[in-house]
Amino acid sequence: MKNILKITVLLLFISLSGFAQKGMLREKMQEKKEQVKSMKIAFITNELKLTPDEAAKFWPLFNEFEEKQKVIRQSKIKNYMDRSQNAEKISEKEAQNLLNQMESAEEELHQLRKNFVANLKGVIPASKILKLKGAEEEFSKKLLQQYRDKRR
């Protein structure tokens, strides 16, 4: 009986420490996301040479755009990507349906970007809007390079 009690307490302790570690990992991931977001804000602000007035109007639009993009990618694109992993096991009709979903999600992302650019036209000059895409891509490259350098 004492052994069963000891084992139960031990298992409970291990479970609780596992939950605590999971929570700490989530917190660390959230901190990293916030750190990357801050770096991205600084990088884009610098690359576009946004004035304080432009930045005050630009960032709410940009953040809203990124959030909507994230929702589309997480809900719609993830859905057909998960199902398409087993492409050889699905019927032609299901495959066609997945292609339609993919095209729809891509069109939604395209329309979202068009609306975002249209909204930016009243906030920053066209030359800065053009620089934005390049700045986003450059930031992604630098971030990926940093990640690769850390792993070595």
Side-chain angles (χ1 to χ4, degrees):
M1 188 69 172
K2 284 184 178 182
N3 287 340
I4 292 175
L5 183 59
K6 288 179 184 178
I7 291 172
T8 304
V9 169
L10 181 64
L11 288 174
L12 181 62
F13 179 73
I14 291 170
S15 296
L16 289 175
S17 69
F19 284 122
Q21 286 178 352
K22 207 175 198 180
M24 288 186 336
L25 281 175
R26 249 189 232 128
E27 286 176 21
K28 282 187 177 186
M29 288 291 288
Q30 189 60 37
E31 285 175 21
K32 286 287 185 191
K33 284 181 184 179
E34 291 298 321
Q35 186 180 22
V36 168
K37 187 175 182 175
S38 295
M39 290 168 47
K40 186 174 187 175
I41 289 170
F43 185 84
I44 291 175
T45 300
N46 185 51
E47 289 294 305
L48 300 184
K49 295 176 179 41
L50 294 174
T51 66
D53 186 48
E54 289 173 336
K57 295 174 185 173
F58 171 82
W59 286 110
L61 292 173
F62 185 85
N63 292 335
E64 180 184 3
F65 166 71
E66 288 230 311
E67 189 58 38
K68 286 179 180 179
Q69 219 178 16
K70 179 181 168 186
V71 167
I72 293 170
R73 286 191 172 122
Q74 283 179 339
S75 64
K76 298 183 177 176
I77 294 176
K78 185 181 182 314
N79 180 38
Y80 69 73
M81 289 301 288
D82 289 344
R83 291 183 21 209
S84 69
Q85 295 298 319
N86 300 319
E88 55 279 338
K89 295 180 184 175
I90 62 176
S91 70
E92 190 60 29
K93 186 176 180 179
E94 287 175 306
Q96 186 60 49
N97 186 23
L98 287 174
L99 279 175
N100 291 341
Q101 287 178 23
M102 182 178 74
E103 290 171 349
S104 174
E106 292 296 330
E107 180 60 37
E108 198 170 338
L109 284 170
H110 177 70
Q111 194 60 45
L112 181 65
R113 170 127 338 243
K114 283 178 69 172
N115 291 341
F116 172 59
V117 169
N119 290 337
L120 284 180
K121 286 179 181 176
V123 174
I124 59 175
S127 59
K128 290 183 180 184
I129 295 172
L130 290 173
K131 287 181 183 178
L132 175 61
K133 183 70 172 163
E136 287 178 291
E137 289 174 6
E138 186 64 27
F139 178 78
S140 294
K141 285 179 188 176
K142 286 183 182 239
L143 193 62
L144 186 59
Q145 189 60 48
Q146 270 185 351
Y147 176 73
R148 286 179 181 156
D149 290 346
K150 257 187 180 174
R151 293 199 72 190
R152 291 183 188 162

